[in-house]
C-alpha cells in the first residue's frame, strides 16, 4: 500500500451542531462506503485535545453517495468543534477491521491517514541525496554522510550533513529518482522503502505523530560507497517546520512562505514573575 497515496479529507463543524452534511466527493470507487472509512472526534478548541466518538455515538446515512448525512446523539459542546476525517487509507495493527469482523471504535490500533500535505523529491546520486521541496519554491539541498569526527560513534553512517525536516501529524509524499544508478530510499521506522531509478519517478508516503530524528540508508547496492549514503528525517512541530522553511527560503534567495510574527512575539513575551 505504500505506493497508493492516502486521500482522506478533514471537515470541521462548529459547536452546537447535531446534524452535518459531509461531501463524499471522491471518485466513485473510492467513496466512503462504510463506517471503517470514517472517524469523528470532538476537539477542545482551547487545548486541542480530541475525543474520538464511537460508532454508537452517531448515525450515518448515504454511504457510497456523493454526500453523507451524519446525525450525532448529542450536540457538540460549547468550546469544541466536530472533526470528521473520511477516507479509505488506514494503517495500524488492524487496518482491515471489517474483514476481521470488527467495527471502528472497538479498537484504537488503526487510524485513517489524511491526504499528503507536503511533497519532497529525493534524488539519489553516488553517494548522497539531493532533496527539494516543490511546495515551497522548490528550494533544495544536498544531504551527505556526516563526517566521523562530527558525530558520536553510534551515529556514524546514520547522521547526515542536512536532515529532511517534516511536521508531525501530517502525511508526507516522497518522490524518488536517481541521477546516475539505481538507489533506494529506505526508512525502517516508517515502514518505507522505494527505489530511486534514473529517468523514472517513484512515490511513496509516510506519516508519524512522534517528533524526533529517524535514520535510514540507501538499500540498493549502488557502488563502492553504497554503505555511506545515510538518510535522516527530523520530525518537528508545525511551528518549527514553518520556521525552518523560512530559513531555507532565505538561504535560497526566496521570500518567506510563512508569517511567523505571531509565533516570535509569543516567544518573546517575558514570563510572569509575580
Amino acid at each position: 500500500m505504500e505506493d497508493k497515496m492516502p486521500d482522506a479529507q478533514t471537515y470541521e463543524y462548529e459547536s452546537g451542531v447535531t446534524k452535518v452534511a459531509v461531501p463524499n466527493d471522491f471518485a466513485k470507487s473510492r467513496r466512503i462506503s462504510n463506517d471503517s472509512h470514517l472517524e469523528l472526534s470532538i476537539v477542545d478548541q482551547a487545548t486541542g485535545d480530541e475525543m474520538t466518538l464511537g460508532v454508537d455515538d452517531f448515525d450515518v446515512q448515504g454511504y457510497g453517495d456523493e454526500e453523507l448525512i451524519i446525525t450525532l446523539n448529542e450536540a457538540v459542546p460549547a468550546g469544541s468543534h466536530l472533526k470528521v476525517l473520511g477516507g479509505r487509507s488506514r494503517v495500524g495493527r488492524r487496518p482491515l477491521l471489517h474483514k476481521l469482523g470488527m467495527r471502528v471504535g472497538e479498537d484504537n490500533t488503526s487510524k485513517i491517514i489524511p491526504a499528503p500535505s507536503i511533497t519532497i523529491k529525493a534524488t539519489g546520486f553516488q553517494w548522497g541525496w539531493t532533496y527539494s521541496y516543490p511546495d515551497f519554491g522548490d528550494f533544495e539541498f544536498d544531504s551527505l554522510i556526516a563526517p566521523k569526527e562530527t558525530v558520536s560513534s553510534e551515529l556514524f553512517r546514520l547522521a547526515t550533513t542536512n536532515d529532511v525536516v517534516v511536521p508531525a501529524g501530517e502525511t508526507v509524499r516522497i518522490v524518488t529518482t536517481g541521477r546516475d544508478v539505481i538507489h533506494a530510499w529506505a526508512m525502517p521506522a516508517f515502514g518505507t522503502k522505494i527505489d530511486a531509478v534514473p529517468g523514472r519517478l517513484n512515490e511513496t508516503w509516510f506519516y508519524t505523530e512522534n517528533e524526533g530524528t529517524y535514520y535510514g540508508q540507501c538499500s540498493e547496492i549502488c557502488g563502492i560507497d553504497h554503505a555511506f549514503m545515510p538518510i535522516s528525517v527530523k520530525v518537528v512541530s508545525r511551528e518549527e517546520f514553518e520556521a525552518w522553511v523560512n530559513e531555507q527560503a532565505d538561504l535560497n534567495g526566496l521570500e518567506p512562505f510563512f508569517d511567523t510574527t505571531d509565533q516570535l512575539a509569543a516567544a518573546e513575551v517575558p514570563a510572569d514573575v509575580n
Side-chain angles (χ1 to χ4, degrees), residues 6 16 39-40 54 80 87 112 144 150 155 225 242 252 255 263:
E39 287 180 4
L40 274 66
S80 302
I112 292 176
L144 306 173
T150 65
L155 290 181
D225 281 345
E242 292 182 0
N252 286 270
E255 293 296 322
Q263 299 172 16

Side-chain angles (χ1 to χ4, degrees), residues 151-172:
V151 296
S152 65
S153 59
E154 293 83 1
L155 290 181
F156 179 55
R157 296 192 184 182
L158 292 175
T160 68
T161 53
N162 288 297
D163 297 327
V164 177
V165 180
V166 300
E170 298 186 34
T171 303
V172 179

Side-chain angles (χ1 to χ4, degrees), residues 71-91:
T71 304
L72 306 178
N73 293 350
E74 299 181 5
V76 177
S80 302
H81 67 264
L82 173 68
K83 183 172 82 172
V84 179
L85 184 64
R88 298 169 66 99
S89 297
R90 181 178 285 276
V91 298

